[in-house]
Amino acid sequence: MLDKSHLKQQKRRSRIRRLKRDKWLYVLLIPGVVMTLVFKYFPMYGAIIAFKFYNPMLGILKSPWAGLEHFREFIFSPNFTVLLTNTLKISIYGLFLGFLPPILLALSLNQILNKKIKQKIQLILYAPNFISIVVIVGMLFLFLSANGPINSLVEKFTGSPIMFMSNPAYFRTIYILSGIWQGMGWASILYTATLAGVSTDLYEAANIDGANILQKIYHIDLPALKPVMVINFILAAGNIMNVGHEKAFLMQTSMNIPTSEIISTYVYKIGLQSGNYAYSAAVGLFNMVINVVLLLMVNSIVKRMNDGQGI
């Protein structure tokens, strides 16, 4: 008994010593913790309206309970299958088509030895990330319109323009490819930084052994990038249902609604435009639950395939 009590006292004293030693580090944590609580956790209180027949005059707490009524209404609505299919298609296609380009770009930039040229190329590639979504969509409408430069070339070969922004068949392709173009450079920063930390001794040893560029990429660069690639893939898979409504909403026309209407645009229209806050909150909460489930599933699968390494 004395030994156990003595060990407990020692642990308590060591914790107190660590707290005193690192007190300023904990002080630096306070702003981040406060911001997380204020902007991430406290707003969760509002999620209660997903389970209520919300009446603004009564407030959240006094509004009558609805239980799972809003969830059932959404799941059994005729829009459910279309919304879920459109959201998953855009997300999954975007994930698989957009995952490799930043990695290939980082590997290519790593082969450029001239720092000045490398910096100029990086500046050009990073610039689209800072362009507003509104401007990007405006550019798409401008270039892909019936009288735009793209259709001018199309008309020369086919004799008639293609209605890119009105035809539902082209919406996903335009949405995904424009997103890859805009974010590819910025997404490659993490991979570029990882490659910058690889020891030059490895490359020198590979040169002595007569390794070519592809062999150095396969045996040095890719193993260094693997942990970052795994984490990024898991996080991206966990956000499959989080397709931003801004770009999709701005790209929508009356003709491409069959493929452009996704869960986030539906929530925006039902919640803010129609004022049905409780129903839109239920749809948003349903979306979040699916994201969490997908994150856990993908993390579990990756752990099995990656020797127990996940997040």
Side-chain angles (χ1 to χ4, degrees), residues 38-150:
V38 171
F39 293 105
K40 298 294 183 181
Y41 284 91
F42 292 162
M44 289 183 184
Y45 160 75
I48 298 173
I49 66 173
F51 304 94
K52 292 202 168 193
F53 294 109
Y54 177 64
N55 186 337
M57 302 299 293
L58 296 175
I60 294 177
L61 293 178
K62 293 184 179 179
S63 295
W65 282 97
L68 300 176
E69 180 63 30
H70 299 308
F71 295 93
R72 282 194 291 266
E73 183 182 349
F74 175 60
I75 292 172
F76 293 107
S77 69
N79 296 321
F80 176 74
T81 305
V82 175
L83 292 170
L84 187 61
T85 302
N86 288 343
T87 304
L88 286 175
K89 281 184 176 180
I90 289 177
S91 299
I92 293 172
Y93 293 162
L95 172 61
F96 286 105
L97 293 175
F99 185 72
L100 286 178
I103 299 170
L104 297 175
L105 180 60
L107 292 171
S108 302
L109 289 172
N110 193 50
Q111 301 304 317
I112 301 175
L113 300 178
N114 191 311
K115 289 187 177 180
K116 289 185 178 180
I117 295 175
K118 185 176 180 179
Q119 288 174 352
K120 289 178 181 178
I121 294 174
Q122 286 177 316
L123 181 62
I124 294 169
L125 293 171
Y126 298 164
N129 183 72
F130 300 98
I131 302 175
S132 167
I133 291 293
V134 178
V135 176
I136 292 290
V137 175
M139 291 167 62
L140 291 174
F141 274 100
L142 181 65
F143 286 108
L144 299 175
S145 64
N147 300 320
I150 303 297

Side-chain angles (χ1 to χ4, degrees), residues 26-39:
Y26 291 110
V27 170
L28 291 173
L29 281 175
I30 291 173
V33 172
V34 171
M35 288 185 68
T36 302
L37 289 173
V38 171
F39 293 105

Side-chain angles (χ1 to χ4, degrees), residues 5 17 120 129 151 158 250 261 308:
S5 62
R17 282 197 299 268
K120 289 178 181 178
N129 183 72
N151 266 317
T158 63
L250 291 169
E261 188 75 312

Side-chain angles (χ1 to χ4, degrees), residues 233-246:
F233 183 79
I234 294 171
L235 293 176
N239 284 318
I240 275 182
M241 300 293 289
N242 285 345
V243 182
H245 78 277
E246 300 94 343

